[in-house]
């Protein structure tokens, strides 16, 4: 890992070695330059970094290191910052001479550390997905490939129904799923959202197939996506998507009689239910 990886947004500041952390701060000094720069223009120079990351490096580290200051909406280098810009490098001794506080010196000199939390296996690539707490992003690790950092995680909750031939002369088989895509959600929050999706799955199945279906549904757990796959397209949380494929098998012949799909968003569910009731009235009453 090097300072270049930081500016690509693939590693956190805490993962870098001390020399690379100093180089990161120097790159910000270069970006500010002799004339200073507005915050908006500064962020444009580092498109792979979040506003929070830029704030931490410039408005916290450089500020407390007596290397930069703000005035009338712009960032400027101090006299010491200008000398370092002219010198072409930033060293630990420079920070000590500037009487930088102990917490900043410790942040620069402590050993590289990474805090990853395993989320699960990616349905799209079969790689492993981790939560990086320092970046508030997700890391996808696939064998023999460079780790990928991504912001939106797909959470999918699966369920199934099999009436087993208990309803008249037909057997109904349903494969259903609900999903959403989240940003900046940690493992604990993801677990809560999985419960929300499980509740929505039950409600959606009941609306799509009737109240009896929700009593038979078997919840099969959650899976995760680093990118959309199949029927699962990007739906931003708290919106949720529902998809179900159902098949009727004739009990006597065992052959496939009919197959169809149902899909709607949580926000569309009331309208779907209204139209379903209207179709039923038209069919039964001839309206």
């Amino acid at each position: 890992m090097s300072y270049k990886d930081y500016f690509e947004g693939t590693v956190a500041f805490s993962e870098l070695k001390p020399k690379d952390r100093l180089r990161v701060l120097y790159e910000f000094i270069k970006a500010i330059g002799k004339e200073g720069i507005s915050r908006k223009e500064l962020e444009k120079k580092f498109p792979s970094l979040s506003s929070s990351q830029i704030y931490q490096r410039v408005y916290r580290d450089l500020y407390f290191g007596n290397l930069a200051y703000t005035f009338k909406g712009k960032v400027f280098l101090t006299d010491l910052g200008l000398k370092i810009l002219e010198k072409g490098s930033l060293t630990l001794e420079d920070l000590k001479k500037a009487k930088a506080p102990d917490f900043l010196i410790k942040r620069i000199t402590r050993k590289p550390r990474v805090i990853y939390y395993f989320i699960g296996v990616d349905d799209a690539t079969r790689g492993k997905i981790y939560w990086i707490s320092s970046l508030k992003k997700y890391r996808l690790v696939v064998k023999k490939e460079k780790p990928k950092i991504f912001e939106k995680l797909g959470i999918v909750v699966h369920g199934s129904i099999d009436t087993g031939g208990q309803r008249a002369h037909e057997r109904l088989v349903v494969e259903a799923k609900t999903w959403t895509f989240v940003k900046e959600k940690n493992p604990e929050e993801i677990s809560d959202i999985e419960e929300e999706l499980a509740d929505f799955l039950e409600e959606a199945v009941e609306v799509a197939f009737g109240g009896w279906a929700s009593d038979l549904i078997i919840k099969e757990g959650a899976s995760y996506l680093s990118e959309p796959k199949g029927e699962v397209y990007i739906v931003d949380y708290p919106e949720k998507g529902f998809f179900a494929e159902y098949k009727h098998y004739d009990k006597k012949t065992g052959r496939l009689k009919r197959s169809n799909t149902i899909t709607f968003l949580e926000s569309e569910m009331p309208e779907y239910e209204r139209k379903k009731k209207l179709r039923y009235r038209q069919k039964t009453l001839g309206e």
Side-chain angles (χ1 to χ4, degrees):
M1 297 179 186
S2 74
Y3 76 93
K4 293 181 180 180
D5 295 311
Y6 178 81
F7 288 110
E8 290 177 0
T10 60
V11 300
F13 195 68
S14 62
E15 297 180 67
L16 299 174
K17 295 179 180 179
K19 66 175 184 177
D20 288 313
R21 293 173 187 155
L22 289 166
R23 181 60 186 267
V24 165
L25 295 183
Y26 178 71
E27 291 299 315
F28 279 109
I29 289 174
K30 283 174 58 179
I32 295 169
K34 293 181 180 180
E35 304 300 324
I37 191 172
S38 69
R39 182 168 179 173
K40 185 176 181 180
E41 290 301 316
L42 184 61
E43 291 186 358
K44 285 183 179 179
K45 290 193 173 187
F46 304 102
S48 296
L49 300 183
S50 66
S51 296
S52 175
Q53 287 174 296
I54 295 173
Y55 180 89
Q56 289 170 350
R57 301 287 77 81
V58 175
Y59 303 93
R60 187 182 65 177
D61 293 349
L62 292 186
Y63 174 79
F64 283 107
N66 298 314
L67 301 175
Y69 66 96
T70 58
F71 181 71
K72 291 186 177 180
K74 293 184 67 175
V75 188
F76 296 92
L77 297 177
T78 62
D79 290 341
L80 179 57
L82 289 169
K83 288 180 180 179
I84 289 170
L85 178 63
E86 185 177 350
K87 184 178 68 165
S89 66
L90 173 65
T91 66
L92 192 60
E93 288 303 315
D94 292 326
L95 290 175
K96 290 179 178 179
K97 287 179 181 178
K99 297 181 180 180
D102 289 341
F103 72 81
L104 179 55
I105 299 298
K106 289 179 180 178
R107 183 180 297 130
I108 299 297
T109 58
R110 68 189 177 193
K111 292 182 180 179
R113 62 179 184 178
V114 185
I115 303 178
Y116 294 152
Y117 297 93
F118 179 65
I119 299 295
V121 175
D122 179 27
D123 271 2
T125 65
R126 306 313 299 168
K128 294 181 178 180
I129 297 175
Y130 298 88
W131 161 254
I132 309 175
S133 59
S134 54
L135 291 179
K136 292 187 178 181
K137 295 180 182 179
Y138 306 96
R139 182 191 294 263
L140 173 65
V141 179
V142 180
K143 288 184 178 179
K144 298 182 180 180
E145 294 184 16
K146 183 177 180 179
K148 172 188 174 183
I149 304 297
F150 63 100
E151 294 186 347
K152 289 188 177 183
L153 173 71
I155 308 172
V156 187
V157 169
H158 305 264
S160 64
I161 298 171
D162 190 337
T163 62
Q166 296 173 6
R167 293 184 58 78
H169 298 292
E170 292 185 341
R171 176 185 177 194
L172 175 65
V173 177
V174 178
E175 297 295 334
K177 64 184 74 172
T178 54
W179 75 91
T180 190
F181 279 77
V182 301
K183 289 179 64 176
E184 299 185 352
K185 299 297 183 183
N186 62 41
E188 185 176 346
E189 292 171 314
I190 289 171
S191 180
D192 290 340
I193 292 170
E194 288 174 14
E195 292 184 13
E196 289 183 37
L197 286 169
D199 290 341
F200 174 50
L201 177 65
E202 190 171 316
E203 294 171 6
V205 164
E206 184 171 333
V207 167
F209 299 100
W212 62 269
S214 61
D215 295 330
L216 294 178
I217 190 167
I218 300 172
K219 295 169 186 173
E220 300 172 351
S223 63
Y224 309 97
L225 288 168
S226 62
E227 59 188 47
K229 179 186 177 184
E231 306 86 15
V232 179
Y233 56 94
I234 291 182
V235 174
D236 291 325
Y237 181 78
E239 181 68 284
K240 304 174 186 69
F242 170 74
F243 174 86
E245 180 179 41
Y246 60 97
K247 302 174 183 178
H248 290 82
Y249 291 88
D250 186 273
K251 187 177 180 181
K252 294 180 179 179
T253 65
R255 294 178 180 177
L256 181 66
K257 186 176 182 181
R258 186 181 62 174
S259 178
N260 210 337
T261 61
I262 298 173
T263 184
F264 51 76
L265 300 176
E266 184 178 34
S267 60
E268 298 171 339
M269 189 161 62
E271 181 64 16
Y272 175 87
E273 188 172 20
R274 187 190 69 80
K275 290 181 178 179
K276 181 181 176 182
K277 289 179 179 178
L278 178 61
R279 287 195 299 269
Y280 177 77
R281 285 177 57 85
Q282 291 173 335
K283 181 178 179 181
T284 56
L285 302 178
E287 295 180 354

